[in-house]
Protein backbone atom coordinates (compact mmCIF):
# COMPACT_ATOMS: atom_id res chain seq x y z
CA UNK A 1 0.00 0.00 0.00
CA UNK A 2 1.69 3.18 -1.12
CA UNK A 3 1.15 6.85 -0.54
CA UNK A 4 2.65 10.00 -1.95
CA UNK A 5 5.29 12.15 -0.26
CA UNK A 6 5.25 15.83 -1.21
CA UNK A 7 8.45 17.88 -1.39
CA UNK A 8 7.56 21.18 -2.92
CA UNK A 9 5.54 23.19 -5.42
CA UNK A 10 6.80 24.92 -8.55
CA UNK A 11 5.55 26.36 -11.80
CA UNK A 12 4.78 23.58 -14.25
CA UNK A 13 6.69 25.41 -16.96
CA UNK A 14 9.95 25.41 -14.95
CA UNK A 15 12.52 22.66 -15.23
CA UNK A 16 12.33 20.62 -12.03
CA UNK A 17 13.56 17.15 -12.88
CA UNK A 18 15.34 15.72 -9.88
CA UNK A 19 17.88 12.90 -9.92
CA UNK A 20 18.18 12.48 -6.16
CA UNK A 21 16.26 9.49 -4.78
CA UNK A 22 13.11 10.01 -2.77
CA UNK A 23 12.54 9.56 0.95
CA UNK A 24 10.99 6.10 0.71
CA UNK A 25 12.92 3.08 1.92
CA UNK A 26 13.07 1.75 -1.62
CA UNK A 27 14.14 5.19 -2.84
CA UNK A 28 11.45 5.57 -5.47
CA UNK A 29 12.28 8.48 -7.74
CA UNK A 30 10.84 11.96 -7.64
CA UNK A 31 8.14 12.74 -10.17
CA UNK A 32 5.84 15.59 -11.12
CA UNK A 33 2.15 15.94 -10.51
CA UNK A 34 0.89 18.68 -12.77
CA UNK A 35 -2.28 20.72 -12.28
CA UNK A 36 -2.60 23.53 -14.75
CA UNK A 37 0.33 25.90 -14.30
CA UNK A 38 1.44 24.27 -11.06
CA UNK A 39 3.48 21.16 -10.38
CA UNK A 40 3.97 19.25 -7.15
CA UNK A 41 7.20 17.29 -6.71
CA UNK A 42 6.34 13.94 -5.16
CA UNK A 43 7.55 10.40 -4.74
CA UNK A 44 5.96 7.11 -3.76
CA UNK A 45 6.40 5.95 -0.20
CA UNK A 46 5.17 2.80 1.50
CA UNK A 47 2.53 3.14 4.15
CA UNK A 48 4.06 2.82 7.59
CA UNK A 49 6.69 4.60 9.65
CA UNK A 50 9.63 6.40 8.10
CA UNK A 51 13.08 6.58 9.59
CA UNK A 52 13.32 10.25 10.47
CA UNK A 53 16.97 10.99 9.85
CA UNK A 54 17.19 9.28 6.50
CA UNK A 55 13.97 10.86 5.39
CA UNK A 56 15.27 14.29 6.36
CA UNK A 57 18.42 13.82 4.39
CA UNK A 58 16.63 12.62 1.28
CA UNK A 59 14.01 15.35 1.59
CA UNK A 60 16.67 18.02 1.73
CA UNK A 61 18.65 16.64 -1.19
CA UNK A 62 15.57 16.64 -3.38
CA UNK A 63 14.70 20.23 -2.50
CA UNK A 64 18.25 21.42 -2.88
CA UNK A 65 18.46 19.99 -6.34
CA UNK A 66 15.08 21.29 -7.45
CA UNK A 67 15.69 24.76 -6.05
CA UNK A 68 19.00 25.06 -7.85
CA UNK A 69 17.16 25.28 -11.16
CA UNK A 70 13.84 26.86 -10.29
CA UNK A 71 11.73 28.63 -7.71
CA UNK A 72 10.28 25.96 -5.44
CA UNK A 73 7.93 26.48 -2.52
CA UNK A 74 9.15 23.96 0.05
CA UNK A 75 6.59 21.80 1.80
CA UNK A 76 6.87 20.93 5.49
CA UNK A 77 8.97 17.86 6.13
CA UNK A 78 6.98 14.69 6.54
CA UNK A 79 3.97 15.61 4.43
CA UNK A 80 2.30 12.57 2.93
CA UNK A 81 -0.93 12.36 0.96
CA UNK A 82 -2.95 9.33 -0.11
CA UNK A 83 -2.30 9.58 -3.83
CA UNK A 84 -1.82 11.96 -6.72
CA UNK A 85 -5.52 12.70 -6.91
CA UNK A 86 -5.42 13.92 -3.30
CA UNK A 87 -2.43 16.12 -4.12
CA UNK A 88 -4.49 17.81 -6.81
CA UNK A 89 -7.92 17.82 -5.16
CA UNK A 90 -6.89 18.74 -1.64
CA UNK A 91 -3.87 20.89 -2.28
CA UNK A 92 -3.06 22.22 -5.71
CA UNK A 93 -6.62 22.99 -6.78
CA UNK A 94 -8.03 24.65 -3.65
CA UNK A 95 -4.92 26.72 -3.10
CA UNK A 96 -4.06 27.36 -6.69
CA UNK A 97 -4.25 31.15 -6.75
CA UNK A 98 -2.31 31.62 -3.56
CA UNK A 99 0.43 29.25 -4.68
CA UNK A 100 0.71 30.94 -8.06
CA UNK A 101 0.92 34.34 -6.39
CA UNK A 102 3.65 33.17 -4.03
CA UNK A 103 5.67 31.66 -6.84
CA UNK A 104 5.37 34.86 -8.83
CA UNK A 105 6.58 36.89 -5.88
CA UNK A 106 9.61 34.67 -5.36
CA UNK A 107 10.50 34.19 -8.98
CA UNK A 108 14.07 35.16 -9.85
CA UNK A 109 15.04 35.40 -6.19
CA UNK A 110 16.99 33.15 -3.86
CA UNK A 111 17.28 32.83 -0.11
CA UNK A 112 20.70 33.46 1.34
CA UNK A 113 21.47 32.77 4.96
CA UNK A 114 23.96 34.80 6.97
CA UNK A 115 24.85 33.54 10.42
CA UNK A 116 27.30 35.11 12.82
CA UNK A 117 28.99 33.28 15.69
CA UNK A 118 30.81 34.83 18.61
CA UNK A 119 34.36 34.22 19.59
CA UNK A 120 33.59 33.15 23.11
CA UNK A 121 36.59 34.71 24.79
CA UNK A 122 36.07 38.09 23.17
CA UNK A 123 32.39 37.93 24.02
CA UNK A 124 32.97 37.10 27.66
CA UNK A 125 35.61 39.76 27.92
CA UNK A 126 33.16 42.30 26.58
CA UNK A 127 30.54 41.18 29.03
CA UNK A 128 32.83 41.46 32.03
CA UNK A 129 34.16 44.82 30.90
CA UNK A 130 30.73 46.16 30.15
CA UNK A 131 28.97 45.14 33.31
CA UNK A 132 30.25 45.99 36.80
CA UNK A 133 27.62 43.68 38.25
CA UNK A 134 29.06 40.77 36.30
CA UNK A 135 32.60 41.66 37.26
CA UNK A 136 31.63 41.88 40.91
CA UNK A 137 29.75 38.63 41.02
CA UNK A 138 32.53 36.93 39.14
CA UNK A 139 34.95 38.06 41.84
CA UNK A 140 32.70 36.63 44.51
CA UNK A 141 32.62 33.29 42.78
CA UNK A 142 36.16 32.79 41.58
CA UNK A 143 38.32 30.42 43.52
CA UNK A 144 35.53 29.40 45.85
CA UNK A 145 34.14 25.87 46.04
CA UNK A 146 31.33 25.23 43.59
CA UNK A 147 28.91 23.85 46.14
CA UNK A 148 29.13 27.02 48.19
CA UNK A 149 28.55 29.34 45.23
CA UNK A 150 25.68 27.57 43.52
CA UNK A 151 23.19 30.42 43.83
CA UNK A 152 25.82 33.00 42.92
CA UNK A 153 26.83 31.10 39.86
CA UNK A 154 23.27 30.87 38.67
CA UNK A 155 22.84 34.58 39.17
CA UNK A 156 26.12 35.26 37.41
CA UNK A 157 25.05 33.07 34.54
CA UNK A 158 21.73 34.89 34.33
CA UNK A 159 23.45 38.26 34.18
CA UNK A 160 25.84 37.08 31.54
CA UNK A 161 22.99 35.61 29.53
CA UNK A 162 21.23 38.98 29.59
CA UNK A 163 24.34 40.77 28.41
CA UNK A 164 24.85 38.23 25.65
CA UNK A 165 21.27 38.77 24.54
CA UNK A 166 21.89 42.51 24.37
CA UNK A 167 24.98 41.88 22.32
CA UNK A 168 22.98 39.73 19.94
CA UNK A 169 20.42 42.46 19.47
CA UNK A 170 23.07 45.06 18.70
CA UNK A 171 24.89 42.84 16.26
CA UNK A 172 21.67 41.76 14.56
CA UNK A 173 20.67 45.35 14.08
CA UNK A 174 24.05 46.15 12.61
CA UNK A 175 24.01 43.21 10.22
CA UNK A 176 20.50 43.92 9.02
CA UNK A 177 21.28 47.55 8.51
CA UNK A 178 24.17 46.63 6.22
CA UNK A 179 22.57 43.85 4.23
CA UNK A 180 18.83 44.48 4.13
CA UNK A 181 19.13 47.35 1.62
CA UNK A 182 20.63 44.90 -0.87
CA UNK A 183 17.82 42.39 -0.47
CA UNK A 184 14.16 42.21 -1.44
CA UNK A 185 13.24 40.99 2.03
CA UNK A 186 14.93 40.01 5.26
CA UNK A 187 13.89 37.79 8.13
CA UNK A 188 15.41 37.03 11.49
CA UNK A 189 15.53 33.40 12.60
CA UNK A 190 16.17 32.18 16.14
CA UNK A 191 19.83 31.68 17.01
CA UNK A 192 20.47 27.96 17.01
CA UNK A 193 23.34 27.68 19.49
CA UNK A 194 24.62 29.57 22.54
CA UNK A 195 27.48 31.11 20.60
CA UNK A 196 25.23 32.28 17.77
CA UNK A 197 25.08 36.05 17.41
CA UNK A 198 22.83 36.48 14.40
CA UNK A 199 20.77 34.18 12.19
CA UNK A 200 19.41 36.10 9.24
CA UNK A 201 17.65 35.04 6.05
CA UNK A 202 17.65 37.30 3.02
CA UNK A 203 15.65 37.13 -0.17
CA UNK A 204 17.91 38.40 -2.91
CA UNK A 205 17.46 38.89 -6.64
CA UNK A 206 19.65 36.41 -8.50
CA UNK A 207 21.20 39.30 -10.39
CA UNK A 208 22.28 40.98 -7.15
CA UNK A 209 23.83 37.97 -5.44
CA UNK A 210 27.39 38.99 -6.26
CA UNK A 211 26.83 42.47 -4.89
CA UNK A 212 25.28 40.96 -1.78
CA UNK A 213 28.19 38.54 -1.40
CA UNK A 214 30.60 41.43 -1.60
CA UNK A 215 28.83 43.18 1.25
CA UNK A 216 28.92 40.00 3.31
CA UNK A 217 32.65 39.63 2.67
CA UNK A 218 33.26 43.17 3.78
CA UNK A 219 31.22 42.66 6.91
CA UNK A 220 33.20 39.51 7.66
CA UNK A 221 36.41 41.49 7.50
CA UNK A 222 35.07 44.10 9.86
CA UNK A 223 33.93 41.68 12.54
CA UNK A 224 36.96 39.47 12.24
CA UNK A 225 38.21 38.21 15.57
CA UNK A 226 35.02 39.10 17.33
CA UNK A 227 32.61 37.08 15.21
CA UNK A 228 32.84 34.64 12.35
CA UNK A 229 30.31 34.63 9.56
CA UNK A 230 28.75 31.65 7.83
CA UNK A 231 27.24 32.48 4.45
CA UNK A 232 25.06 29.85 2.86
CA UNK A 233 22.82 29.47 -0.16
CA UNK A 234 21.03 29.53 -2.46
CA UNK A 235 18.29 27.96 -0.37
CA UNK A 236 14.66 27.30 -1.18
CA UNK A 237 12.77 30.34 0.11
CA UNK A 238 11.82 28.76 3.44
CA UNK A 239 11.75 31.97 5.40
CA UNK A 240 9.62 33.73 2.81
CA UNK A 241 7.00 31.09 2.16
CA UNK A 242 3.62 31.58 3.71
CA UNK A 243 2.71 28.37 5.42
CA UNK A 244 -1.01 28.38 4.95
CA UNK A 245 -3.72 30.05 2.98
CA UNK A 246 -4.39 33.44 4.41
CA UNK A 247 -8.07 33.37 3.49
CA UNK A 248 -10.66 30.67 3.97
CA UNK A 249 -12.62 28.96 1.19
CA UNK A 250 -15.53 31.36 1.71
CA UNK A 251 -13.47 34.34 0.54
CA UNK B 1 10.70 24.90 42.62
CA UNK B 2 10.83 21.72 44.64
CA UNK B 3 13.25 20.22 42.22
CA UNK B 4 15.68 23.15 42.37
CA UNK B 5 15.88 23.04 46.15
CA UNK B 6 16.38 19.33 45.76
CA UNK B 7 19.30 19.96 43.48
CA UNK B 8 20.71 22.62 45.77
CA UNK B 9 20.89 20.22 48.65
CA UNK B 10 22.62 17.68 46.50
CA UNK B 11 26.21 18.43 47.52
CA UNK B 12 25.26 18.93 51.14
CA UNK B 13 22.88 16.04 51.78
CA UNK B 14 24.09 12.93 50.00
CA UNK B 15 22.18 10.87 52.54
CA UNK B 16 18.99 11.53 50.54
CA UNK B 17 19.24 8.09 49.10
CA UNK B 18 20.76 6.50 46.05
CA UNK B 19 17.50 5.91 44.19
CA UNK B 20 16.54 9.55 44.40
CA UNK B 21 20.04 10.51 43.35
CA UNK B 22 20.00 8.15 40.45
CA UNK B 23 16.75 9.68 39.28
CA UNK B 24 18.13 13.21 39.44
CA UNK B 25 21.22 12.18 37.52
CA UNK B 26 19.06 10.40 34.98
CA UNK B 27 16.95 13.50 34.50
CA UNK B 28 20.03 15.64 34.13
CA UNK B 29 21.48 13.23 31.59
CA UNK B 30 18.25 13.27 29.66
CA UNK B 31 18.09 17.04 29.82
CA UNK B 32 21.51 17.15 28.26
CA UNK B 33 20.54 14.56 25.69
CA UNK B 34 17.60 16.63 24.60
CA UNK B 35 19.30 19.98 24.78
CA UNK B 36 18.55 21.26 21.31
CA UNK B 37 21.28 23.89 21.31
CA UNK B 38 23.85 21.25 22.17
CA UNK B 39 22.54 18.89 19.53
CA UNK B 40 22.67 21.60 16.90
CA UNK B 41 26.18 22.54 17.94
CA UNK B 42 27.27 18.91 17.68
CA UNK B 43 25.71 18.66 14.26
CA UNK B 44 27.76 21.62 13.17
CA UNK B 45 30.92 20.17 14.66
CA UNK B 46 30.16 17.03 12.71
CA UNK B 47 29.88 19.01 9.51
CA UNK B 48 33.21 20.67 10.15
CA UNK B 49 34.90 17.38 10.95
CA UNK B 50 33.49 15.87 7.81
CA UNK B 51 34.56 18.82 5.70
CA UNK B 52 38.05 18.74 7.17
CA UNK B 53 38.25 15.05 6.38
CA UNK B 54 38.68 14.13 10.02
CA UNK B 55 35.99 11.49 9.93
CA UNK B 56 34.75 9.18 7.21
CA UNK B 57 31.48 9.70 5.39
CA UNK B 58 29.84 6.59 6.80
CA UNK B 59 30.81 7.37 10.36
CA UNK B 60 29.63 10.95 9.94
CA UNK B 61 26.31 9.84 8.51
CA UNK B 62 25.70 7.44 11.35
CA UNK B 63 26.51 10.04 13.99
CA UNK B 64 24.35 12.53 12.16
CA UNK B 65 21.44 10.08 12.08
CA UNK B 66 21.51 9.75 15.84
CA UNK B 67 21.72 13.47 16.40
CA UNK B 68 18.88 14.20 14.02
CA UNK B 69 16.65 11.67 15.72
CA UNK B 70 17.45 13.21 19.07
CA UNK B 71 16.73 16.66 17.75
CA UNK B 72 13.32 15.61 16.51
CA UNK B 73 12.62 13.96 19.86
CA UNK B 74 13.74 17.09 21.69
CA UNK B 75 11.42 19.24 19.63
CA UNK B 76 8.53 16.90 20.30
CA UNK B 77 9.35 17.11 23.98
CA UNK B 78 9.33 20.88 23.79
CA UNK B 79 6.00 20.89 21.97
CA UNK B 80 4.60 18.70 24.71
CA UNK B 81 5.78 21.09 27.39
CA UNK B 82 4.55 24.17 25.59
CA UNK B 83 1.10 22.77 25.16
CA UNK B 84 1.13 21.90 28.82
CA UNK B 85 1.43 25.60 29.52
CA UNK B 86 5.04 25.63 30.65
CA UNK B 87 6.93 28.67 29.43
CA UNK B 88 10.22 27.54 28.00
CA UNK B 89 12.69 29.90 26.27
CA UNK C 1 33.85 25.90 -2.33
CA UNK C 2 33.46 28.30 -5.18
CA UNK C 3 35.40 31.51 -5.40
CA UNK C 4 35.83 33.55 -8.52
CA UNK C 5 38.48 36.15 -8.93
CA UNK C 6 37.08 39.61 -9.25
CA UNK C 7 38.62 42.33 -11.33
CA UNK C 8 39.36 44.48 -8.33
CA UNK C 9 42.28 42.30 -7.37
CA UNK C 10 40.30 40.82 -4.53
CA UNK C 11 38.26 37.67 -4.38
CA UNK C 12 34.52 37.45 -4.86
CA UNK C 13 33.04 35.09 -2.35
CA UNK C 14 30.06 32.94 -3.07
CA UNK C 15 27.45 31.60 -0.72
CA UNK C 16 28.24 28.05 0.32
CA UNK C 17 26.14 24.93 -0.05
CA UNK C 18 24.65 24.16 3.32
CA UNK C 19 25.21 21.22 5.58
CA UNK C 20 22.09 19.53 6.91
CA UNK C 21 22.82 20.86 10.39
CA UNK C 22 22.44 24.44 9.25
CA UNK C 23 19.06 24.02 7.59
CA UNK C 24 17.52 21.47 9.90
CA UNK C 25 15.47 24.07 11.73
CA UNK C 26 13.88 25.62 8.70
CA UNK C 27 13.22 22.20 7.17
CA UNK C 28 11.33 21.17 10.29
CA UNK C 29 9.69 24.49 11.14
CA UNK C 30 8.92 26.13 7.85
CA UNK C 31 7.40 25.41 4.50
CA UNK C 32 3.89 24.91 3.22
CA UNK C 33 1.56 23.14 5.58
CA UNK C 34 -0.92 20.84 3.96
CA UNK C 35 -3.97 19.29 5.47
CA UNK C 36 -2.43 15.84 5.41
CA UNK C 37 -1.32 13.14 7.78
CA UNK C 38 2.26 13.16 8.91
CA UNK C 39 4.05 9.93 9.66
CA UNK C 40 7.50 10.20 11.13
CA UNK C 41 8.80 7.49 13.39
CA UNK C 42 11.66 7.74 15.80
CA UNK C 43 13.57 4.51 15.99
CA UNK C 44 14.99 3.65 19.37
CA UNK C 45 14.14 6.91 21.09
CA UNK C 46 11.67 7.12 23.89
CA UNK C 47 10.11 10.48 24.50
CA UNK C 48 9.62 11.33 28.14
CA UNK C 49 7.55 14.19 29.36
CA UNK C 50 8.51 15.09 32.88
CA UNK C 51 8.17 18.85 33.14
CA UNK C 52 10.82 19.20 35.80
CA UNK C 53 13.35 18.64 33.08
CA UNK C 54 12.71 22.14 31.81
CA UNK C 55 13.91 23.57 35.06
CA UNK C 56 17.11 21.59 34.94
CA UNK C 57 17.74 22.69 31.40
CA UNK C 58 17.36 26.40 32.20
CA UNK C 59 19.60 26.23 35.23
CA UNK C 60 22.01 24.24 33.14
CA UNK C 61 22.37 27.07 30.65
CA UNK C 62 23.08 29.65 33.31
CA UNK C 63 25.71 27.49 34.90
CA UNK C 64 27.36 27.15 31.55
CA UNK C 65 27.49 30.91 31.12
CA UNK C 66 28.94 31.31 34.57
CA UNK C 67 31.55 28.74 33.72
CA UNK C 68 32.45 30.57 30.52
CA UNK C 69 32.98 33.92 32.15
CA UNK C 70 34.96 32.39 34.98
CA UNK C 71 37.22 30.46 32.73
CA UNK C 72 38.27 33.60 30.96
CA UNK C 73 41.73 34.39 32.14
CA UNK C 74 41.72 37.98 33.17
CA UNK C 75 44.57 37.78 35.66
CA UNK C 76 46.08 40.94 34.28
CA UNK C 77 42.73 42.67 34.15
CA UNK C 78 42.11 41.65 37.71
CA UNK C 79 45.01 43.85 38.63
CA UNK C 80 43.06 46.73 37.10
CA UNK C 81 44.78 47.03 33.77
CA UNK C 82 43.51 49.48 31.24
CA UNK C 83 41.42 48.18 28.38
CA UNK C 84 43.99 48.69 25.58
CA UNK C 85 46.60 46.68 27.46
CA UNK C 86 43.99 44.09 28.23
CA UNK C 87 43.04 43.68 24.59
CA UNK C 88 46.69 43.30 23.73
CA UNK C 89 47.19 40.50 26.18
CA UNK C 90 44.07 38.75 24.96
CA UNK C 91 45.17 38.77 21.34
CA UNK C 92 48.63 37.64 22.28
CA UNK C 93 47.38 34.76 24.33
CA UNK C 94 44.60 33.52 22.10
CA UNK C 95 45.48 31.90 18.82
CA UNK C 96 41.80 31.90 18.14
CA UNK C 97 41.71 35.66 18.07
CA UNK C 98 44.33 35.56 15.40
CA UNK C 99 42.26 33.15 13.39
CA UNK C 100 40.62 34.94 10.54
CA UNK C 101 36.95 35.40 11.13
CA UNK C 102 36.38 35.60 7.43
CA UNK C 103 33.53 33.88 5.69
CA UNK C 104 34.25 30.19 5.63
CA UNK C 105 33.64 30.14 1.93
CA UNK C 106 36.25 32.74 1.23
CA UNK C 107 39.03 30.75 -0.29
CA UNK C 108 41.80 33.28 -0.38
CA UNK C 109 44.00 30.39 -1.20
CA UNK C 110 42.62 30.01 -4.70
CA UNK C 111 45.47 30.70 -7.02
CA UNK C 112 47.93 30.77 -4.15
CA UNK C 113 47.66 27.26 -2.85
CA UNK C 114 49.21 25.71 0.19
CA UNK C 115 46.67 27.06 2.65
CA UNK C 116 45.08 23.72 3.38
CA UNK C 117 46.86 23.68 6.70
CA UNK C 118 45.53 27.08 7.58
CA UNK C 119 42.01 25.87 6.93
CA UNK C 120 42.57 22.79 9.03
CA UNK C 121 43.98 24.94 11.77
CA UNK C 122 40.93 27.19 11.60
CA UNK C 123 38.44 24.37 11.88
CA UNK C 124 40.45 22.69 14.60
CA UNK C 125 40.79 25.77 16.74
CA UNK C 126 37.18 26.65 16.16
CA UNK C 127 36.19 23.20 17.26
CA UNK C 128 38.45 23.21 20.28
CA UNK C 129 36.97 26.53 21.37
CA UNK C 130 33.48 25.18 21.05
CA UNK C 131 34.45 21.96 22.75
CA UNK C 132 35.78 23.92 25.66
CA UNK C 133 32.61 25.89 26.00
CA UNK C 134 30.70 22.67 25.95
CA UNK C 135 32.74 20.89 28.60
CA UNK C 136 30.04 19.90 30.95
CA UNK C 137 29.23 19.67 34.53
CA UNK C 138 31.82 17.05 35.26
CA UNK C 139 33.59 19.71 37.29
CA UNK C 140 30.41 21.31 38.52
CA UNK C 141 29.14 18.44 40.54
Amino acid sequence: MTAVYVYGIARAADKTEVQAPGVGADKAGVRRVVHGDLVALVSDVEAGPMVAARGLRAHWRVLEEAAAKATVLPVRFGTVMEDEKAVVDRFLAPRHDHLVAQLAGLSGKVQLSVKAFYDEDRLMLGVVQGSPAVAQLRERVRGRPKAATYYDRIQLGELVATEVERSRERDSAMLFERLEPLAVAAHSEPPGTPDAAVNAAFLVERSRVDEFSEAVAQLADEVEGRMRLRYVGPLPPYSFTEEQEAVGPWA
Amino acid sequence: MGLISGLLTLPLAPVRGTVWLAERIQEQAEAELYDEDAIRARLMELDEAREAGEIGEEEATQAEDELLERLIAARALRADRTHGGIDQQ
Amino acid sequence: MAVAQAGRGGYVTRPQPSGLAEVIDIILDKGLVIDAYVRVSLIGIEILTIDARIVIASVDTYLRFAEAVNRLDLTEADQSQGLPELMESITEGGSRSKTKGAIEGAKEKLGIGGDEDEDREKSRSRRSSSQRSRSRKSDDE
Side-chain angles (χ1 to χ4, degrees):
Chain A
M1 157 124 199
T2 58
V4 155
Y5 186 97
V6 188
Y7 300 86
I9 309 300
R11 287 194 293 207
D14 287 349
K15 290 212 158 300
T16 47
E17 279 75 38
V18 170
Q19 302 303 317
V23 301
D26 61 3
K27 307 188 199 277
V30 176
R31 60 176 199 282
R32 295 156 49 95
V33 173
V34 176
H35 172 69
D37 49 1
L38 289 176
V39 62
L41 299 176
V42 309
S43 70
D44 286 337
V45 289
E46 320 69 42
M50 167 182 20
V51 177
R54 288 194 206 122
L56 263 171
R57 208 173 274 118
H59 173 102
W60 176 240
R61 288 206 178 123
V62 167
L63 270 172
E64 226 184 352
E65 192 181 334
K69 313 168 194 170
T71 304
V72 179
L73 298 173
V75 165
R76 186 70 58 96
F77 171 69
T79 302
V80 177
M81 304 191 83
E82 294 97 317
D83 49 34
E84 294 193 11
K85 188 171 186 305
V87 173
V88 172
D89 293 348
R90 284 166 59 192
F91 183 33
L92 295 180
R95 287 160 74 162
H96 173 270
D97 294 352
H98 192 224
L99 294 172
V100 167
Q102 283 208 67
L103 284 165
L106 296 169
S107 170
K109 302 166 185 107
V110 292
Q111 173 161 337
L112 300 171
S113 153
V114 182
K115 297 186 186 182
F117 299 91
Y118 284 120
D119 175 288
E120 185 184 293
D121 278 2
R122 289 280 288 267
L123 179 63
M124 289 300 135
L125 175 68
V127 165
V128 172
Q129 291 287 329
S131 168
V134 167
Q136 240 176 339
L137 203 43
R138 180 174 167 271
E139 265 319 298
R140 275 240 300 270
V141 159
R142 262 165 92 74
R144 294 184 59 213
K146 295 203 156 138
T149 55
Y150 192 80
Y151 272 125
D152 277 348
R153 282 186 296 130
I154 292 182
Q155 201 193 348
L156 175 58
E158 261 182 300
L159 284 179
V160 171
T162 304
E163 291 300 314
V164 169
E165 197 47 46
R166 284 211 194 112
S167 215
R168 280 178 173 166
E169 281 164 24
R170 277 195 304 268
D171 286 320
S172 283
M174 183 266 295
L175 191 136
F176 271 82
E177 200 180 0
R178 294 286 291 274
L179 299 178
E180 197 166 0
L182 300 172
V184 170
H187 185 81
S188 186
E189 298 284 350
T193 51
D195 65 338
V198 186
N199 184 355
F202 296 92
L203 189 66
V204 178
E205 302 261 6
R206 283 189 199 264
S207 56
R208 292 190 83 185
V209 168
D210 279 351
E211 187 189 353
F212 190 87
S213 301
E214 188 58 41
V216 175
Q218 192 164 349
L219 197 55
D221 282 345
E222 286 170 29
V223 302
E224 185 182 320
R226 192 169 70 82
M227 297 191 288
R228 69 175 173 94
L229 256 47
R230 174 74 181 154
Y231 178 39
V232 162
L235 301 174
Y238 271 101
S239 306
F240 305 98
T241 298
E242 277 169 66
E243 299 177 4
Q244 286 167 322
E245 274 262 47
V247 296
W250 53 82
Chain B
M1 271 307 175
L3 186 65
I4 285 236
S5 32
L7 281 174
L8 289 175
T9 61
L10 196 60
L12 308 172
V15 293
R16 269 284 199 127
T18 40
V19 171
W20 180 85
L21 196 62
E23 281 175 6
R24 298 288 84 78
I25 292 174
Q26 168 81 348
E27 282 169 9
Q28 174 95 346
E30 276 160 2
E32 291 180 21
L33 261 191
Y34 298 125
D35 180 340
E36 293 175 52
D37 279 357
I39 297 171
R40 260 187 290 262
R42 278 210 185 97
L43 278 168
M44 290 202 278
E45 280 170 32
L46 203 56
D47 268 349
E48 285 169 20
R50 188 201 262 125
E51 259 173 61
E54 315 230 334
I55 51 173
E57 191 54 49
E58 208 173 294
E59 198 188 329
T61 302
Q62 202 172 349
E64 194 175 58
D65 273 3
E66 268 180 54
L67 288 168
L68 290 174
E69 301 256 332
R70 260 202 270 156
L71 185 61
I72 294 177
R75 294 158 56 92
L77 245 182
R78 179 164 38 102
D80 257 1
R81 294 182 202 138
T82 312
H83 296 146
I86 305 285
D87 197 38
Q88 166 63 339
Q89 54 112 350
Chain C
M1 308 246 176
V3 178
Q5 268 188 305
R8 290 162 46 190
Y11 293 90
V12 173
T13 61
R14 292 247 165 84
Q16 294 309 296
S18 68
L20 193 54
E22 315 183 86
V23 291
I24 187 76
D25 291 312
I26 52 176
I27 292 177
L28 295 174
D29 288 334
K30 308 236 159 182
L32 294 170
V33 173
I34 303 181
D35 170 23
Y37 51 97
V38 176
R39 294 170 310 184
V40 176
S41 95
L42 303 174
I43 313 292
I45 299 219
E46 210 187 333
I47 300 178
L48 308 159
T49 56
I50 303 175
D51 290 334
R53 200 164 290 112
I54 304 168
V55 174
I56 300 182
S58 307
V59 164
D60 204 52
T61 307
Y62 293 142
L63 287 175
R64 239 187 294 162
F65 273 128
E67 195 52 35
V69 79
N70 279 330
R71 203 174 33 244
L72 189 60
D73 183 8
L74 295 179
T75 39
E76 287 162 39
D78 289 338
Q79 282 147 30
S80 39
Q81 214 178 27
L83 184 57
E85 291 83 356
L86 182 61
M87 292 314 296
E88 226 179 314
S89 53
I90 289 290
T91 40
E92 265 164 11
S95 62
R96 242 169 304 105
S97 310
K98 285 194 197 137
T99 300
K100 286 190 132 282
I103 303 176
E104 282 169 54
K107 285 296 192 187
E108 302 115 78
K109 73 178 184 181
L110 230 205
I112 299 176
D115 281 11
E116 221 105 273
D117 296 321
E118 201 197 336
D119 279 345
R120 279 181 153 264
E121 175 55 38
K122 270 185 235 169
S123 50
R124 220 179 285 123
S125 60
R126 205 185 308 122
R127 236 177 321 109
S128 64
S129 96
S130 53
Q131 261 161 15
R132 218 176 307 143
S133 69
R134 241 176 305 291
S135 68
R136 292 298 194 127
K137 261 101 348 310
S138 40
D139 25 78
D140 265 9
E141 246 40 24

